[in-house]
């Protein structure tokens, strides 16, 4: 069985490692190629995008892919939508089993806990506005939403922005900023120290979920720092059956490999 994993996440790498060890499974992982020095998954890796829905559909056909697992980051909405459409449309490409089955592996989002002060917002523009409301002039805002689309923060000359990202940001940045290049995982002690050192008054983050980057939320709670939480983008197009852990996806793939299911169904609620 030939499985294509749409990757770029820890979960995608864990799944690739598990599939490489699985008899009868051949795995290819794909990465967008955004990060300069990506953590590479086990098995074959293709890097750089497919060229839209048509390109992905051609890839599925040419490589005779039997199943796709969309294990992209919860904010990679374009790739997820492309995967859903390409798999649906692959039905017309004459594969023996009809449409290529699509499975989604997505970590659950974060939920606030007693002591948290979270402000959920729909996008980065609103996040930047809310951060300005919550942080007095002269204070510091800790931005952990990634290196792209930082423009909404750029027009503020009155606050200091501590921007943490894996690679250097390319957008315009606020006049007063510090860029911290790091990729985690992080500890609560380290995050607490960092926020104290920089006098952070507000944390801005995306609802990425997962444990690798959750320590900042514990640190913010302990320090009484409010969190501006950017909600996940809405899913557009068909929704694939979704699992929150690698084991569930593996079970579904095995069932597909043994012909037990034409289209897998998720046994766990969508996150
Ligand atoms: N967005 C985030 O916050 C975030 C955080 C951590 C990791 N990531 C990872 O970084 C990658 C890019 O994220 P994004 O938000 O820029 O994606 P996106 O906006 O959903 O996708 C934009 C384009 O990038 C290409 N692409 C994205 N993911 C790909 C993958 N796994 N394999 C091959 N091509 C891919 C596709 O190009 P074509 O149309 O040419 O196929 C896609 O149309 C994803 O793999 C994601 O898992 C994203």
């Amino acid at each position: 069985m030939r499985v294509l994993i749409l990757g770029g996440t820890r979960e995608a790498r864990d799944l690739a490692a598990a599939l490489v060890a699985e008899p009868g499974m051949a795995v290819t992982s794909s990465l967008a190629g955004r990060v300069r020095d990506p953590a590479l998954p086990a098995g074959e890796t293709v890097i750089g995008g497919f060229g839209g829905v048509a390109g992905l559909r051609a890839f599925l056909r040419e490589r005779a892919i039997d199943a796709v697992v969309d294990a992209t980051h919860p904010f990679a909405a374009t790739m997820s939508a492309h995967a859903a459409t390409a798999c649906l449309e692959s039905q017309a490409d004459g594969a023996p089993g009809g449409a290529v089955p699509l499975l989604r592996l997505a970590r659950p989002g974060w939920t606030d806990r007693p002591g948290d002060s979270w402000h959920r917002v729909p996008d980065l523009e609103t996040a930047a506005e809310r951060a300005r409301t919550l942080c007095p002039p002269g204070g510091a805002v800790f931005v952990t939403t990634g290196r792209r689309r930082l423009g909404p923060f750029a027009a503020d000359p009155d606050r200091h922005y501590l921007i943490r990202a894996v690679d250097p940001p390319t957008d315009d940045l606020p006049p007063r900023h510090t860029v911290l290049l790091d990729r985690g995982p992080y500890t609560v002690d380290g995050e607490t120290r960092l926020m104290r050192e920089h006098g952070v008054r507000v944390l801005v983050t995306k609802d990425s979920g997962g444990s690798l980057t959750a320590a900042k939320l514990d640190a913010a709670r302990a320090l009484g720092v409010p969190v501006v939480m950017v909600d996940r983008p809405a899913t557009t197009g068909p929704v694939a059956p979704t699992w929150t852990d690698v084991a569930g996806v593996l079970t579904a793939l095995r069932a597909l490999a043994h012909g037990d299911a034409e289209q897998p169904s998720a046994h766990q609620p969508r996150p």
Side-chain angles (χ1 to χ4, degrees):
M1 182 178 203
R2 282 172 292 274
V3 179
L4 171 64
I5 301 173
L6 305 172
T9 58
R10 163 76 180 271
E11 292 77 11
R13 290 193 295 280
D14 289 348
L15 178 63
L19 281 178
V20 160
E22 186 89 1
M25 298 271 185
V27 58
T28 300
S29 296
S30 81
L31 301 176
R34 299 256 194 280
V35 176
R36 259 189 315 183
D37 180 21
L40 290 176
E44 185 195 19
T45 306
V46 292
I47 300 183
F50 300 97
V53 172
L56 176 54
R57 190 172 150 187
F59 188 93
L60 300 180
R61 192 175 54 239
E62 284 156 18
R63 295 290 197 101
I65 298 293
D66 297 303
V68 177
V69 181
D70 173 8
T72 56
H73 190 272
F75 280 79
T78 303
M79 188 68 250
S80 291
H82 285 185
T85 308
C87 285
L88 197 67
E89 291 181 351
S90 68
Q91 191 151 22
D93 293 336
V100 177
L102 173 65
L103 296 77
R104 175 82 169 120
L105 171 57
R107 57 182 95 143
W110 287 315
T111 40
D112 54 350
R113 293 176 21 196
D116 280 326
S117 169
W118 286 13
H119 301 254
R120 285 201 171 268
V121 296
D123 50 42
L124 281 169
E125 285 73 19
T126 319
E129 279 169 30
R130 190 64 61 87
R132 286 195 291 274
T133 313
L134 291 168
C135 181
V141 179
F142 185 19
V143 180
T144 64
T145 53
R147 75 185 166 101
R148 292 184 299 144
R149 305 183 186 117
L150 291 169
F153 298 95
D156 180 13
D158 298 327
R159 291 158 194 80
H160 193 92
Y161 286 83
L162 174 63
I163 297 165
R164 184 168 68 193
V166 175
D167 282 329
T170 45
D171 283 4
D172 286 347
L173 297 179
R176 300 169 59 202
H177 70 262
T178 302
V179 172
L180 197 58
L181 299 182
D182 205 349
R183 73 163 78 210
Y186 304 103
T187 63
V188 179
D189 280 354
E191 297 290 61
T192 307
R193 207 175 316 115
L194 182 73
M195 288 196 212
R196 276 214 183 100
E197 267 169 24
H198 290 268
V200 167
R201 304 285 293 266
V202 177
L203 166 66
V204 183
T205 182
K206 297 194 287 198
D207 186 5
S208 300
S211 58
L212 291 186
T213 57
K216 61 192 168 192
L217 302 173
D218 294 331
R221 183 184 316 112
L223 295 171
V225 167
V227 176
V228 180
M229 180 70 68
V230 182
D231 279 333
R232 295 177 171 198
T235 308
T236 55
V239 176
T242 301
W243 287 263
T244 55
D245 64 356
V246 168
V249 175
L250 269 178
T251 304
L253 287 171
R254 286 184 195 128
L256 276 172
H258 293 118
D260 296 345
E262 281 177 10
Q263 286 290 338
S265 60
H267 301 293
Q268 296 181 18
R270 279 175 48 70

